[in-house]
Amino acid sequence: MAVAEVSTSTRSRHFEAAVEKMRAGVQAMAACVREADGEGLGQALIQIRETGIDPLEAVFAEGVRRFDKSGEYKADGSLSLTDWLRWKCKLSAGAAAERMEVARQLDQLPKTEAALANGHLGYQHVVVLARAAEHVGAAAVRKEEARLLQAAQTMDPGKFTGVAKSFEHRVDAAGALAEANHAYQRYLHIGDPVDGLVRLDGVLDAEGGATLRAALQPFMKPVKDDARSYGQRRVDALMELCRQGSGKKRDGAGPRPQLIIRASLDTLAGTPGAPAGELDGGGTVPAETVQRHACDSAIIRITGEGELDHELNHASRTIPASTRRALESRDQHCVFPGCSRPTMWCDGHHLVWWIKGGATALPNLALLCRPHHRMVHEEGWRLVRHKDGRFTAIPPPRAVMPNSRSA
C-alpha cells in the first residue's frame, strides 16, 4: 500500500510540474506576442500553432481515447464521454463529437497522428482525414496515407477537403453519392420587412453555392470611388441578377451563369474508381451530378491522356436555341409525372445519355425541372417516353441509404 501511495504521489507531482511548465510557457509566449510586431509577430503566430496548439491536440486526442476506454467519465455522472467533454472541457456538442471521432481514427492512422504531434499537420487537416476514415474505413486511408499527408502539407484545409473527397469517390463512389444525396438539404428563408429591412437566411449544397457565386461574379466589380463593403456589393449583385433574370424572355439556350466543373472522361462516363468532379471555386460533386450538368452544357477538352475525342471538343451537346424553343412548345412544362413546373425552371434532359449514343434532337429530349432532373441522374430514377407522348418515371430498384458507407 505504501508503495502505491508513493507511486501515486510521484505521478501527481510530475503532473503538477508539467501543468506549471505549460502555464509558464503560455505566459512567456503571451509576453513575446505583446512585444513582437511585423515579421516577428507572424512567426510567433506560426509557432503557437505548430509548437503549441496542434501538438497538444494530438496529446488531447490520445488522452480522450484512453479516457473513453477507462470509463472514468462515469464517476462524474456523465452518460458519455461526449457529455463529459462538453461539461468539463467547455466544448460545444459539435466540437466534443469531432474530437471523439478524431481520437478514435488517429488510433488507426499512426502517420497522421505523428504528423500532428510534430506540428507538421494542422488539426483541421486531421479532421478531414478522420472524416474520410469514418466514411471509407481507416484501412483504405492507411493505404494512401503518405500521399494524403503530402497533399495536406501543401494546401489549406479547404482545398485539402476537395482532395479527400475525390479520394473517397475513388474508393467508394456509391457511398460518395449517398453522402451527397443525404447532404442535399437546403432552404432559403426571406423574412418579413422590419424597419425597412428584410433578413435572408439559407443553406445551400456545394453545387448551389458554386452556381450562386458564379452568377453573382459579373456584378461584383467595384465602381470608381466605391465605398460599399464586400457584403453590400454582393447584395447589390444579387438584386441586379434578379432584375436581369426576370426582365428577359428565357429560351434556355442563351448565356447562363457559367458553372465550371472539371472532370475526367472516366467521371463523365461513370467508370468505377473515377475521381469526383471538381467545382470551380471549391467543392466536389459525384459523377452523377457531372452527368446531369453535361446533359446540356459546353464541353471543353484539356489535352491529356484519356481525354475526350475530337467530337466532344465542341459544344454540340448544348441544346441549340431552336431545339430548345421546339422542346418548350412540345412539353410546355416539366414532364415528370405529376409535376407542372414552368419551362423557365427546367433543364433539357437527354433520355438516352449522349455519351451512350443518344442524339441532341427533339425525340431524345425532355424538359425536367431541376429537382426532378436531379432525381433522374443522382437518385437513379428513369424517364421513359411512350409513342403517344406520355412519360413514365420508373423508380430505382432500391433506395440508396445515406448511411450505406462502410465505417
Side-chain angles (χ1 to χ4, degrees):
M1 178 64 71
V3 173
E5 289 176 354
V6 170
S7 177
T8 301
S9 177
T10 301
R11 287 200 302 269
S12 181
R13 286 199 301 271
H14 286 167
F15 174 74
E16 291 173 1
V19 171
E20 186 57 37
K21 287 181 180 179
M22 184 166 60
R23 186 178 291 114
V26 171
Q27 293 172 352
M29 182 56 72
C32 290
V33 169
R34 284 192 292 267
E35 296 171 0
D37 55 19
E39 183 180 353
L41 183 56
Q43 286 298 320
L45 297 177
I46 292 172
Q47 289 304 315
I48 287 172
R49 297 298 315 186
E50 291 187 355
T51 309
I53 295 176
D54 289 330
L56 281 174
E57 287 283 7
V59 175
F60 190 82
E62 181 183 357
V64 166
R65 188 164 59 243
R66 292 180 57 202
F67 197 53
D68 186 27
K69 291 178 180 177
S70 73
E72 282 296 315
Y73 57 85
K74 298 176 184 177
D76 288 320
S78 296
L79 299 178
S80 68
L81 181 53
T82 302
D83 290 338
W84 187 91
L85 289 171
R86 293 173 60 189
W87 176 27
K88 293 293 187 177
C89 295
K90 303 177 180 64
L91 297 176
S92 67
E98 178 184 274
R99 279 165 174 78
M100 283 287 298
E101 187 59 36
V102 166
R104 291 186 181 125
Q105 297 299 342
L106 282 184
D107 192 32
Q108 305 176 73
L109 302 173
K111 293 180 180 178
T112 302
E113 186 172 35
L116 181 62
N118 294 330
H120 297 158
L121 201 64
Y123 174 73
Q124 292 301 322
H125 292 93
V126 173
V127 171
V128 174
L129 283 169
R131 286 174 180 162
E134 180 185 6
H135 292 158
V136 301
V141 175
R142 278 198 303 274
K143 291 181 180 179
E144 294 286 327
E145 194 171 7
R147 186 185 66 82
L148 290 170
L149 289 176
Q150 184 178 13
Q153 292 170 5
T154 62
M155 57 185 67
D156 63 63
K159 291 183 178 179
F160 180 60
T161 298
V163 173
K165 287 298 180 186
S166 186
F167 159 74
E168 292 181 32
H169 191 279
R170 291 197 304 272
V171 174
D172 182 11
L177 175 61
E179 183 187 359
N181 286 337
H182 182 58
Y184 188 58
Q185 301 173 3
R186 68 271 182 233
Y187 74 89
L188 176 64
H189 174 71
I190 304 177
D192 295 327
V194 177
D195 297 331
L197 299 175
V198 174
R199 183 178 182 85
L200 299 182
D201 181 38
V203 172
L204 303 177
D205 62 334
E207 176 191 338
T211 301
L212 181 59
R213 288 192 193 95
L216 293 179
Q217 196 58 41
F219 309 107
M220 286 290 293
K221 296 179 180 179
V223 297
K224 184 179 179 181
D225 300 325
D226 200 336
R228 296 174 299 167
S229 67
Y230 185 83
Q232 290 168 337
R233 284 192 284 120
R234 177 170 282 175
V235 170
D236 292 343
L238 178 60
M239 295 302 99
E240 185 62 27
L241 177 67
C242 293
R243 292 189 191 98
Q244 293 200 15
S246 61
K248 292 183 178 180
K249 183 181 183 301
R250 181 187 183 280
D251 66 5
R256 291 169 287 179
Q258 293 194 17
L259 176 61
I260 298 174
I261 302 178
R262 298 179 180 87
S264 69
L265 175 58
D266 289 338
T267 303
L268 199 59
T271 304
E278 296 179 3
L279 290 168
D280 190 34
T284 61
V285 291
E288 287 79 359
T289 303
V290 175
Q291 293 163 7
R292 169 165 56 88
H293 282 285
C295 247
D296 180 15
S297 63
I299 294 180
I300 300 174
R301 178 183 182 184
I302 299 176
T303 303
E305 185 177 356
E307 294 290 343
L308 298 172
D309 61 21
H310 178 73
E311 181 189 7
L312 303 186
N313 295 343
H314 304 82
S316 59
R317 305 308 172 188
T318 302
I319 299 176
S322 58
T323 305
R324 171 75 191 207
R325 287 191 290 270
L327 182 61
E328 291 189 354
S329 177
R330 186 195 72 187
D331 292 347
Q332 299 184 13
H333 54 72
C334 173
V335 301
F336 198 96
C339 184
S340 59
R341 289 185 173 92
T343 59
M344 67 176 60
W345 293 3
C346 294
D347 296 327
H349 170 66
H350 287 74
L351 298 174
V352 178
W353 179 224
W354 53 257
I355 206 169
K356 296 182 178 179
T360 305
L362 195 61
N364 190 46
L365 297 172
L367 283 181
L368 284 178
C369 67
R370 277 170 276 284
H372 282 129
H373 200 189
R374 190 180 192 283
M375 284 177 60
V376 168
H377 280 277
E378 278 90 333
E379 298 183 20
W381 286 71
R382 189 161 61 92
L383 192 68
V384 177
R385 185 173 187 267
H386 301 282
K387 292 182 179 180
D388 60 1
R390 293 182 303 106
F391 285 88
T392 300
I394 302 174
R398 60 183 179 85
V400 178
M401 299 303 293
N403 60 352
S404 64
R405 309 188 100 168
S406 58

